[in-house]
């Protein structure tokens, strides 16, 4: 079986580049749902987000004055967080399965 | 398409939360059965990539933007169960770190953007793939078509939720036509991006595309170097 590590590393570099360099240039217009909400008048029902004071709320890192840099850094933080949470969750799932099996799998060398 | 707090009432949000938890539990269970060591970094990459591309809003009609939802992309790359988990992790991180998508609406958002797109969209992918020749190009086309339609499915899911418990008193039929209208356009973007990414992965590592596994030559089940058990010469 071919190794996957090089693919994952290159993929993460591409992903980080998109998050850091491209996201500051994304459209800031309301998205499809928000536009419909504005047009149909139910945008007024939106409640403030419970975590609106988080240091990275709104894809901006608090304390970074440059808007592009702030968005790009938020993108990098998000990429790192999603990778870590997804991989961490699956590691837990895999270990839990290992424990639940009658005969533990032999350690791989 | 992230629903903030307030658009949908508490009972509907709670019901969607229950659907989301049930769906994710099934996904964890199914994933645990087949998860291999190498799937873990690939799923992490899929989640991270979907997060990054969700930030890239592209302009559609006047004063409106759209972004990739990524459910079909994730499902084609790593399968619908693992794909649903990847997109759900993205939604969780967005709600907790970036205040994007209401906490009370997390269940609604998981239903619309993870479960509906990964499973509904993946079913459409399989359907379109079956109608086409057994080639890589067919996998790319089927991914793109299914991804585009998956966005429309997600917009219909929102409309159902709005009909059940929407605030603000807008007419459901108007919301339905407005949602579908704009999401057909966003779906074109979703389909294009999905097809391009699937095509790029197929060109470099076709063995890592779940939705193209039927094209791989049959292999023996034991593919790694086999270590003799201790005590056996």
């Amino acid at each position: 079986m071919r190794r996957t590590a090089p693919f994952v590393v290159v993929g993460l570099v591409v992903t980080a580049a998109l998050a850091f360099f491209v996201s500051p240039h994304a459209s800031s217009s309301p998205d499809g749902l928000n536009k419909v909400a504005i047009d149909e008048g139910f945008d007024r029902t939106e409640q403030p987000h419970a975590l609106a004071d988080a240091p990275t709320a709104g894809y901006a890192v608090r304390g970074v004055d440059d808007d592009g840099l702030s968005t790009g850094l938020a993108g990098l933080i998000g990429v790192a967080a999603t990778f870590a949470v997804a991989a961490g969750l699956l590691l837990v799932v895999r270990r839990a399965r290992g424990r639940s099996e009658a005969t533990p799998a032999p350690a791989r060398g | 398409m992230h629903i903030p707090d307030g658009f949908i009432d508490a009972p509907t949000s709670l019901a969607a939360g229950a659907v989301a938890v049930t769906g994710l539990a099934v996904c964890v269970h199914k994933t645990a059965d087949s998860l291999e060591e190498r799937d873990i970094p690939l799923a992490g990459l899929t989640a991270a990539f979907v997060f990054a591309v969700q930030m890239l809003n592209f302009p559609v009609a006047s004063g409106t933007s759209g972004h990739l939802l990524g459910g079909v992309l994730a499902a084609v790359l790593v399968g619908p169960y693992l794909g649903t988990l990847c997109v759900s992790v993205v939604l969780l991180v967005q709600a907790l770190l970036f205040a994007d998508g209401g906490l009370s609406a997390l269940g609604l958002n998981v239903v619309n953007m993870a479960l509906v797109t990964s499973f509904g969209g993946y079913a459409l992918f399989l359907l379109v793939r079956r109608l086409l020749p057994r080639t890589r190009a067919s996998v790319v086309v089927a991914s793109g078509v299914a991804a585009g339609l998956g966005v429309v499915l997600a917009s219909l899911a929102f409309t159902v939720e709005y009909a059940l418990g929407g605030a603000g008193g807008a007419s459901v039929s108007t919301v339905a036509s407005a949602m579908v209208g704009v999401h057909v356009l966003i779906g074109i973007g979703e389909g294009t991006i999905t097809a391009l990414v699937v095509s790029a992965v197929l060109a470099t590592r076709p063995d890592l595309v779940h939705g193209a596994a039927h094209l791989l030559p049959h292999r023996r089940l034991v593919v790694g170097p086999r270590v003799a058990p201790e005590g056996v010469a």
Side-chain angles (χ1 to χ4, degrees), chain B residues 165-185:
Chain B
S171 131
V172 171
S173 60
T174 316
V175 169
S177 59
M179 280 299 283
V180 171
V182 67
H183 286 94
V184 165
L185 299 175

Side-chain angles (χ1 to χ4, degrees), chain B residues 144-196:
Chain B
V145 170
L149 293 173
V151 175
V152 179
L153 280 184
S155 76
L156 287 171
F158 171 81
T159 306
V160 170
E161 290 151 4
Y162 192 81
L164 291 173
S171 131
V172 171
S173 60
T174 316
V175 169
S177 59
M179 280 299 283
V180 171
V182 67
H183 286 94
V184 165
L185 299 175
I186 295 172
I188 295 170
E190 174 101 14
T192 307
I193 295 169
T194 302
L196 285 172

Side-chain angles (χ1 to χ4, degrees), chain A residues 1-3 11 15 26-27 29-32 35 40 42 45-47 49 51 56 58-59 74 78 82-83 90 94 97, chain B residues 1 5-7 32-33 35 37 43-45 48-49 51 55 57 64-65 94-95 97-101 167 174 205 223:
Chain A
M1 187 176 288
R2 288 175 69 186
R3 293 177 62 222
T15 300
S27 168
S29 297
D31 75 0
K35 184 66 163 63
E40 306 307 325
F42 63 88
T45 66
E46 178 173 347
Q47 304 289 320
H49 198 286
L51 300 174
T56 48
Y59 301 94
T82 43
F83 184 90
L90 292 171
R94 195 175 151 80
R97 182 188 61 174
Chain B
M1 190 173 305
D5 296 309
F7 279 13
D33 287 344
L35 193 67
E37 199 81 40
L45 171 60
F49 186 80
F51 172 85
M55 285 184 81
N57 285 62
T64 312
S65 73
Q94 287 168 331
L97 284 187
F98 303 105
D100 188 15
T174 316
R205 287 297 299 269
V223 290

Side-chain angles (χ1 to χ4, degrees), chain A residues 1-16 18-19 22-37 39-60 71-91 93-94 97 108-109, chain B residues 1-7 28 31-45 47-53 55-59 62-67 82 85-86 89-90 92-103 158 162 167-171 174-175 178-179 182-183 186 201 204-208 219 223-224 227:
Chain A
M1 187 176 288
R2 288 175 69 186
R3 293 177 62 222
T4 55
F7 178 85
V8 172
V9 169
V10 172
L12 283 175
V13 169
V14 170
T15 300
L18 289 172
V22 185
S23 74
H25 305 286
S27 168
S28 53
S29 297
D31 75 0
L33 171 60
N34 284 315
K35 184 66 163 63
V36 170
D39 289 350
E40 306 307 325
F42 63 88
D43 59 313
R44 299 177 314 251
T45 66
E46 178 173 347
Q47 304 289 320
H49 198 286
L51 300 174
D53 293 329
T56 48
Y59 301 94
T71 305
L73 289 175
L76 288 184
I77 291 169
V79 164
T82 43
F83 184 90
V85 173
L89 170 81
L90 292 171
L91 273 174
V93 167
R94 195 175 151 80
R97 182 188 61 174
R108 296 187 185 178
Chain B
M1 190 173 305
H2 295 64
I3 303 173
D5 296 309
F7 279 13
V28 167
T31 301
D33 287 344
S34 60
L35 193 67
E36 291 180 38
E37 199 81 40
R38 74 167 196 167
D39 294 332
I40 294 175
L42 287 171
L45 171 60
F49 186 80
V50 168
F51 172 85
V53 183
M55 285 184 81
L56 309 181
N57 285 62
F58 48 85
S62 57
T64 312
S65 73
H67 62 72
L82 198 45
L85 295 179
C86 289
V89 166
V90 171
L92 183 72
V93 167
Q94 287 168 331
L96 294 182
L97 284 187
F98 303 105
D100 188 15
L103 296 185
F158 171 81
Y162 192 81
S171 131
T174 316
V175 169
M179 280 299 283
V182 67
H183 286 94
I186 295 172
V201 180
T204 46
R205 287 297 299 269
D207 59 312
L208 300 184
R219 290 184 302 198
V223 290
V227 180

Side-chain angles (χ1 to χ4, degrees), chain B residues 12-32:
Chain B
T12 310
S13 301
L14 273 175
V19 172
V21 167
T22 309
L24 293 179
V26 171
C27 290
V28 167
H29 187 75
K30 288 282 187 183
T31 301

